[in-house]
Amino acid sequence: MPANTTASSGTTGSTGGKTGRKKGRRARLIVIVLVLALVAGIGYGAFWSVSTVRASYPQTTGSIKIDGLDGNVDVKRDSYGIPQLYADTDADLFRAQGFVQAQDRFWEMDVRRHMTAGRLSEMFGSGQVDTDSFLRTLGWRKVAQEEYDNVLSADTKKNLQAYADGVNAYLKGRDGKDISVEYAALGLTNDYKPDEWTPVDSVAWLKAMAWDLRGNMQDEIDRSLMTSRLDAKKIEDLYPPYPYKKHKPIVEGGAISSVTGKFDPAATPSSSGLGSDTVQGATEGVNTQLASLSDTLDQIPALLGPNGNGIGSNSWVVSGQYTTTGKPLLANDPHLAPQLPSLWYQMGLHCREISAKCQYDTAGYTFSGMPGVIIGHNQDIAWGFTNLGADVTDLFLEKVSGDGYLYDGKVKPFTTREETIKVAGGKSRTITVRETNNGPLVSDRSSELETVGQKAPVGNSAPDRADGYAVALKWTALDPGKSMDAVFELNRAKDFKSFRAAAEHFEVPSQNLIYADTKNNIGYQAPGKIPVRLQGDGTMPSPGWSSEYGWKKDPIPFDELPYEYNPKRGYIVTANQPVIDEKKYPYMLTKDWGYGTRSQRINDLIQSKIKGGGKISTEDMQKMQMDNTSEIAALLVPELMKINISDKSVREAQKLLEGWDYTQESDSAAAAYFNAVWRNILKLAFGNKLPKEMRVKGECLNVPRADSSGPVDEQGKLVRECGRRDADTAQPDGGDRWYQVVANLMDDPNSDWWKSPRSGRDTATENRDQLFARAMTDARWELTAKLGKDITTWSWGRLHQLTLKNQTLGTEGPGLLQRVLNRGPWNIGGGEAAVNATGWNAAGGYDVVWVPSMRMVVNVGDWDKSRWINLTGASGHAFAAHYTDQTDKWVKGELLDWSFGTNAVTKSTTDTLTLKP
């Protein structure tokens, strides 16, 4: 099933219904396993021959006739199967892109469009109805259709249609088994057949991208949940201000000009910024019991990774004055969920001659199912993305009654629509979607959400809650926008002016855009449709019944969003830190930035090279991407070494930290032990004090009876309480927000946070050093259980493993199915909040949950000396040569040569296919 969607099975209905669905799904999976075992040649016979398996592999040589082409299109693939396309018209170029991506990735494309449309049940049955219901409520496909019909330019529509025509040319005359082996397996339990591709299928993918990069919704929920266990001061401790004195923002100067009213990188800021005292809304301290909503969000496919502090990326650009090439160097590595196949598809799109009828000569990373290049370069400029993290979502509590909702003392009618969900092997389901002026009621999609708002202390001005408040979601991506236009405009941009013009249309998701060109200019632009709130700062749910809350009609004007062009320092770094100091900027972009650990490390690495009089090379950029230094280790290890440990086994582990340089190599025993200590510090100091809705599912502890409800111990004082959240989204996750939390507490060794009750054989802790000692002891015995008693055999990579899971049929089911479709594990280095951000969730364990999904270093102007790598490979076919042929090099930090010019592409070509009219 698609990533994270299977968890949604059985969230509503009786226990018997849940069991029935699970049994039915398990039966289907067993059939699929047996089929795939035979297909892979590991079963008990040769039901299908090897030639049948290979029938879905793409033809990469010779020629193929395609209706609608104006002329021949050459598809030149290198030894890694990466295609470079050559055509004479835009239409032919994008028609060929659709055909070639369908050759390699159609199963992925098909599942993805069913997800964005809320139609997974048509492929996988009743287990996906709850997920489909939630996605229909959000209405991604509906908004995408509105964009295509009413907003996107005529040229964009032509390109989308040409792409769709190419996909359909590939599908024409092919049965499922001729497209992908997964269809052959699915066909034994489902009569599903792929529909034709449409332009709106491509547009809808941007909504999925926007969902996973939507900002601080999870933090908004978590703050609300914390109010059931922590007071306002304690919550403030866990969300500390950004350390501007220690970690620089992206844009270090500039302001909105008092003369022009536009952002000016050279202007001097006034004192009109928001500062740290922004007025909270009336729901400060609200406890909305949003655990159910959090559970529902976990069930939505997180195609880009667990939403939260780890979702981000690194990008930086260095001016030619500081490079060995004399031209800019640009690096980018987005941090996303590990997937198989990778989210990215490498490709070149080349017009043989640039003209009015053929405008593109670009290469880089694309999305299967969408035309154009997302990240890369053309013949004039290069660009990269990181997540800006703007807060573009708000949750609103709604007082509902009958057919309407309360607003300014009057009941307004809902906007409603009915959605019919077709179910493979079952009856169709119909749902009614209700919307207020703040957006769709997400609380309608789960019976558990009926409890949302039942205990919300929102003050005397709040209406009677009766059975509780409903919850509406306001989100900029639910309004039609022009982001698809921006993709093509970026691909054609020639200079910073046309780059910024494209960025203005890149409304959702809001991304940091970095820039370099062949004339030795570098730049940065913060784009996006970012709301201006009437009250509050988006950190807590707001009252939906009052016009005093909500958003202003217009978002922040693009001309007032920060940018930089050729800053004096000679480089620009974006890694999810604040765009600009909030005290120097009048608009609130978000209150939940990344805390700047990665960005400052990159800044420091660049500065150390420049101050030493050196020049930065392509190889230096590549080494920076693999930097795995742990900032939190540099803070904590000196203190850990001061602690007197009496247990000789624990003292033996402590000595691993002597002389350690804080790098997290795969073979490092010190990194393994320190990260285990860090995980246990977080658990003792914070994790055990968080509400059950934020702790790992199934992990139980005893809490005071006054704090919870449930089975009481013999003395009637303690309650056995178990966590409820998935391991990869639980808290404390150990990201750099927690680095800052701990850093702020280091000078207060007697803080209540360092107090931890007695557990088992462990004594209670009353101060920081006692808690550190207990964490070192717990870590020693945890690693003894996981890695063995002999510490000389320990290594970080044995704990910190990457497993690539096929994002459809490889995410659950018997082990045989997973062995057929999935790959790994790999022992890897890096870590949470390191530049080499192989993220792990400290609450859940050490396994990798997000990664640098690709890496590139662009050598601007001398394009053929650029380098790139993908997490997996070009192919989505499980047994093809290019399924994971880049992964071993990715693990080692190696990059492939990236050919762009005609001569370089010709030299690297191993297969040529000609598409003919």
Side-chain angles (χ1 to χ4, degrees), residues 366-387:
T366 72
F367 290 140
S368 301
M370 206 175 90
V373 170
I374 304 300
I375 294 173
H377 70 84
N378 58 31
Q379 71 273 40
D380 298 304
I381 75 165
W383 68 92
F385 284 6
T386 63
N387 191 22

Side-chain angles (χ1 to χ4, degrees), residues 784-804:
T784 297
K786 292 179 183 293
L787 303 179
K789 186 176 181 180
D790 183 358
I791 66 172
T792 65
T793 68
W794 289 2
S795 71
W796 175 225
R798 287 179 61 199
L799 278 178
H800 190 51
Q801 293 188 322
L802 168 68
T803 300
L804 294 175

Side-chain angles (χ1 to χ4, degrees), residues 242-264:
Y242 183 83
Y244 285 100
K245 292 183 179 179
K246 183 171 65 170
H247 295 162
K248 295 178 181 178
I250 298 170
V251 176
E252 296 183 23
I256 295 175
S257 169
S258 59
V259 178
T260 65
K262 299 178 181 180
F263 188 88
D264 181 353

Side-chain angles (χ1 to χ4, degrees), residues 318-321 323 326-328 516-522 566 860:
V318 182
S319 170
Q321 69 185 102
T323 68
K327 292 289 179 70
D517 65 33
T518 55
K519 295 181 180 178
N520 211 6
N521 299 302
I522 64 172
N566 293 329
V860 176

Side-chain angles (χ1 to χ4, degrees), residues 298-475:
D298 280 345
Q299 295 156 13
I300 306 306
L303 290 184
L304 305 186
N307 186 268
N309 201 248
I311 282 291
S313 307
N314 301 321
S315 73
W316 66 96
V317 60
V318 182
S319 170
Q321 69 185 102
Y322 295 124
T323 68
T324 58
T325 66
K327 292 289 179 70
L329 294 174
L330 185 151
N332 197 186
D333 55 285
H335 305 157
L336 307 171
Q339 300 179 38
L340 186 58
S342 167
L343 180 78
W344 301 108
Y345 183 93
Q346 296 149 290
M347 183 176 251
L349 302 173
H350 308 278
C351 291
R352 294 189 181 99
E353 291 185 13
I354 300 296
S355 66
K357 69 175 183 178
C358 202
Q359 306 172 74
Y360 297 87
D361 187 14
T362 184
Y365 294 86
T366 72
F367 290 140
S368 301
M370 206 175 90
V373 170
I374 304 300
I375 294 173
H377 70 84
N378 58 31
Q379 71 273 40
D380 298 304
I381 75 165
W383 68 92
F385 284 6
T386 63
N387 191 22
L388 192 151
D391 185 358
V392 296
T393 59
D394 276 343
L395 297 174
F396 284 84
L397 303 178
E398 303 282 6
K399 173 62 179 177
V400 303
S401 58
D403 296 326
Y405 60 97
L406 188 68
Y407 188 69
D408 282 349
K410 297 180 180 179
V411 176
K412 298 187 67 174
F414 294 113
T415 300
T416 62
R417 68 178 189 274
E418 286 195 347
E419 297 275 353
T420 300
I421 300 170
K422 297 179 181 179
V423 181
K427 293 182 178 179
S428 296
R429 314 285 178 86
T430 299
I431 64 169
T432 299
V433 177
R434 300 188 296 171
E435 295 187 12
T436 73
N437 57 353
N438 291 313
L441 290 184
V442 291
S443 53
D444 279 353
R445 296 286 72 88
S446 170
S447 59
E448 293 179 0
L449 286 173
E450 294 175 3
T451 62
V452 171
Q454 285 180 351
K455 299 180 181 180
V458 292
N460 295 332
S461 62
D464 174 45
R465 68 172 54 88
D467 294 328
Y469 302 125
V471 180
L473 171 64
K474 195 173 185 68
W475 179 30

Side-chain angles (χ1 to χ4, degrees), residues 212-224:
D212 283 340
L213 301 175
R214 64 192 177 271
N216 76 334
M217 185 190 296
Q218 192 63 57
D219 287 320
E220 191 173 338
I221 292 169
D222 286 353
R223 285 189 184 91
S224 299

Side-chain angles (χ1 to χ4, degrees), residues 693-888:
E693 294 87 356
M694 297 175 66
R695 301 198 310 269
V696 175
K697 189 180 299 181
E699 290 190 2
C700 304
L701 52 86
N702 295 324
V703 300
R705 185 176 184 179
D707 287 349
S708 187
S709 59
V712 181
D713 69 351
E714 293 179 0
Q715 289 76 35
K717 296 180 179 179
L718 297 176
V719 175
R720 190 69 170 165
E721 184 185 79
C722 299
R724 294 184 177 180
R725 188 169 288 182
D726 288 346
D728 61 357
T729 57
Q731 292 293 338
D733 62 16
D736 63 355
R737 172 164 67 88
W738 294 100
Y739 289 14
Q740 191 61 38
V741 169
V742 171
N744 289 350
L745 293 171
M746 288 298 287
D747 293 333
D748 186 5
N750 296 311
S751 166
D752 287 346
W753 286 114
W754 301 125
K755 297 177 181 179
S756 182
R758 184 176 183 275
S759 176
R761 294 179 298 175
D762 293 319
T763 58
T765 67
E766 295 297 328
N767 58 46
R768 183 194 69 191
D769 288 354
Q770 288 179 4
L771 186 140
F772 282 6
R774 181 168 157 187
M776 284 195 285
T777 301
D778 290 352
R780 177 24 158 152
W781 300 120
E782 180 187 359
L783 295 200
T784 297
K786 292 179 183 293
L787 303 179
K789 186 176 181 180
D790 183 358
I791 66 172
T792 65
T793 68
W794 289 2
S795 71
W796 175 225
R798 287 179 61 199
L799 278 178
H800 190 51
Q801 293 188 322
L802 168 68
T803 300
L804 294 175
K805 294 185 178 181
N806 183 289
Q807 291 298 291
T808 53
L809 300 179
T811 55
E812 73 162 25
L816 179 58
L817 174 63
Q818 298 188 25
R819 287 195 296 273
V820 168
L821 292 177
N822 300 341
R823 299 293 181 269
W826 285 266
N827 297 346
I828 61 176
E832 182 65 36
V835 179
N836 181 22
T838 55
W840 55 286
N841 186 306
Y846 304 97
D847 286 341
V848 176
V849 295
W850 52 73
V851 295
S853 56
M854 62 79 158
R855 300 186 184 102
M856 74 176 193
V857 178
V858 181
N859 196 316
V860 176
D862 198 353
W863 305 113
D864 295 328
K865 291 184 179 178
S866 301
R867 298 176 184 172
W868 60 352
I869 197 77
N870 205 351
L871 175 64
T872 60
S875 180
H877 299 285
F879 309 107
H882 303 307
Y883 192 47
T884 56
D885 59 339
Q886 298 185 49
T887 307
D888 286 341

Side-chain angles (χ1 to χ4, degrees), residues 208-245:
M209 182 179 174
W211 175 255
D212 283 340
L213 301 175
R214 64 192 177 271
N216 76 334
M217 185 190 296
Q218 192 63 57
D219 287 320
E220 191 173 338
I221 292 169
D222 286 353
R223 285 189 184 91
S224 299
L225 293 171
M226 286 179 185
T227 60
S228 69
R229 188 66 55 84
L230 304 174
D231 61 30
K233 174 59 173 64
K234 288 260 191 316
I235 295 174
E236 185 179 335
D237 288 345
L238 301 187
Y239 287 90
Y242 183 83
Y244 285 100
K245 292 183 179 179

